[in-house]
Amino acid sequence: MQELHDAPLAPLTTFRLGGPATRLLTATTDADVVDAVREADDSGTPLLVIGGGSNLVIGDKGFEGTALRIMTKGFVLDGTTVELAAGEVWTDAVTRSVEAGLAGLECLAGIPGSAGATPIQNVGAYGQEVSSTITEVVAYDRHTRETVTIPNSECAFAYRHSRFKAEPDRFVVLRVRFGLEDAGGLSAPLKYPETARAMGVQEGERVPAAAARETVLRLRAGKGMVLDPEDHDTWSAGSFFTNPILDPAEFEAFLARVTERLGPDVTPPAFPAGGGRTKTSAAWLIDRAGFTKGYGSGPARISTKHTLALTNRGAASTEDLLALAREVVAGVHATFGVTLVNEPVTVGVSL
């Protein structure tokens, strides 16, 4: 394993923010990952696991402990089953699955980060979530000190959530297995209206999987959601806030605030979320609360392409970013009575 001391972490994140780690280890095998985790646990050293760095907000003081960067490689295709090492670049793995003629991941193209992070967040976009195709997750269990295989049914997947996110100090993902579909080169049925419209078909129809992937990449790029070092709109963590899910009482109160603030003719986005709950749009809330694209005058601003992305314009600090995030949270709550929750993981800081 490569070992560095007083190592900068900002270059390992898509925000390009954060101070150094006391020590940085780079692991290229599962055995190296397990050894590094065990060493940290045995010595009582704080441990920060880093994959693609696309979902991290690291404090300006950095991380006092061991940062473990997982750079393992492995793409194994067996029929319609795909096994990915945690360090595989996610969007490359999506491309390879589409090229293999398999459906189920094509609408998740362009999402930055590594494969090992996908079950933690239950990554999803454009009508697909990894929870619908993950069959098993192989992880190191820091409690039992064993490598375990966890079936989908025990992953507790929910909207941008999982057992792994609920127990952040327990599991370190090593490999993820997916069960995909051989649809003769076609995609899974399209579930997202924007994707269907862009392809000139109805929701529920199938299209060539490669075409679906290209369409999603184009849509994402138009929103600054495909990494481009020259485009500061992509110096972000993608969507900074999750879409709020409201119980019936909360939703009724929200509707009353919308009517009070915006008038009786305005209807906010609303989608069934199970259990009588309703999901609304964080982007809509942010925009209607007055935080439009490009909002901000400092080095951290809302993306000029998408209101859900908070961005580093090149000279921001983590504290600049958090100040903007707090302003947005406070403004949305004051306007609509809804509290936004950050999607990225914060290290050494909080909203």
Side-chain angles (χ1 to χ4, degrees):
M1 273 187 296
Q2 182 188 70
E3 179 174 342
L4 299 173
H5 295 267
D6 195 27
L9 295 180
L12 306 185
T13 74
T14 52
F15 265 124
R16 296 167 170 80
L17 296 176
T22 307
R23 183 172 72 148
L24 172 65
L25 300 177
T26 300
T28 56
T29 69
D30 290 355
D32 284 346
V33 173
V34 172
D35 287 346
V37 175
R38 283 178 173 163
E39 178 195 350
D41 289 346
D42 287 344
S43 62
T45 303
L47 178 70
L48 171 63
V49 177
I50 300 177
S54 61
N55 204 46
L56 278 180
V57 178
I58 299 173
D60 292 317
K61 292 183 179 180
F63 182 72
E64 191 172 336
T66 295
L68 173 61
R69 190 183 188 196
I70 297 180
M71 295 288 287
T72 53
K73 297 298 178 185
F75 179 103
V76 180
L77 176 63
D78 182 9
T80 57
T81 299
V82 173
E83 179 183 279
L84 302 178
E88 279 289 329
V89 175
W90 173 252
T91 195
D92 292 347
V94 172
T95 299
R96 292 180 68 177
S97 72
V98 170
E99 289 173 345
L102 299 178
L105 302 180
E106 59 280 352
C107 292
L108 301 176
I111 295 175
S114 62
T118 60
I120 298 172
Q121 286 289 113
N122 185 17
V123 163
Y126 293 95
Q128 289 182 345
E129 286 183 331
V130 293
S131 58
S132 65
T133 51
I134 287 176
T135 58
E136 296 176 328
V137 176
V138 179
Y140 176 69
D141 186 337
R142 297 169 70 182
H143 290 186
T144 65
R145 299 176 64 85
E146 296 175 330
T147 296
V148 295
T149 299
I150 304 172
N152 180 295
S153 60
E154 296 178 16
C155 291
F157 286 125
Y159 171 65
R160 300 297 175 270
H161 199 69
S162 69
R163 179 182 183 183
F164 311 105
K165 189 172 182 179
E167 301 179 79
D169 296 324
R170 179 168 182 178
F171 297 104
V172 177
V173 175
L174 301 175
R175 297 187 170 265
V176 189
R177 295 176 181 140
F178 298 84
L180 304 181
E181 179 187 6
D182 183 352
L186 296 179
S187 69
L190 298 180
K191 297 180 179 179
Y192 200 69
E194 185 181 12
T195 314
R197 284 196 304 269
M199 302 203 70
V201 299
Q202 299 295 313
E203 291 177 56
E205 290 188 38
R206 295 178 185 265
V207 296
R213 173 186 167 275
E214 290 299 324
T215 297
V216 166
L217 287 173
R218 186 173 66 253
L219 292 171
R220 290 185 64 87
K223 300 173 183 177
M225 297 292 186
V226 176
L227 293 181
D228 178 353
E230 303 302 317
D231 183 359
H232 285 286
D233 278 332
T234 74
W235 290 33
S236 75
S239 298
F240 195 88
F241 300 103
T242 58
N243 290 322
I245 296 178
L246 309 176
D247 65 29
E250 291 170 335
F251 186 63
E252 286 303 315
F254 167 55
L255 291 178
R257 292 292 284 270
V258 171
T259 298
E260 174 189 338
R261 297 282 181 156
L262 304 179
D265 297 330
V266 176
T267 302
F271 310 94
R277 300 177 302 164
T278 302
K279 180 166 67 176
T280 191
S281 166
W284 187 92
L285 291 169
I286 293 167
D287 183 74
R288 293 305 183 97
F291 303 100
T292 54
K293 295 174 184 176
Y295 177 88
S297 57
R301 303 179 195 175
I302 290 177
S303 166
T304 66
K305 300 181 181 72
H306 200 298
T307 50
L308 262 186
L310 308 188
T311 67
N312 171 10
R313 307 317 292 183
S317 66
T318 300
E319 202 48 48
D320 292 327
L321 176 77
L322 293 176
L324 175 62
R326 291 174 186 132
E327 183 183 1
V328 172
V329 170
V332 168
H333 188 269
T335 305
F336 297 114
V338 175
T339 301
L340 294 177
V341 176
N342 53 290
E343 185 170 331
V345 175
T346 55
V347 178
V349 293
S350 64
L351 290 189

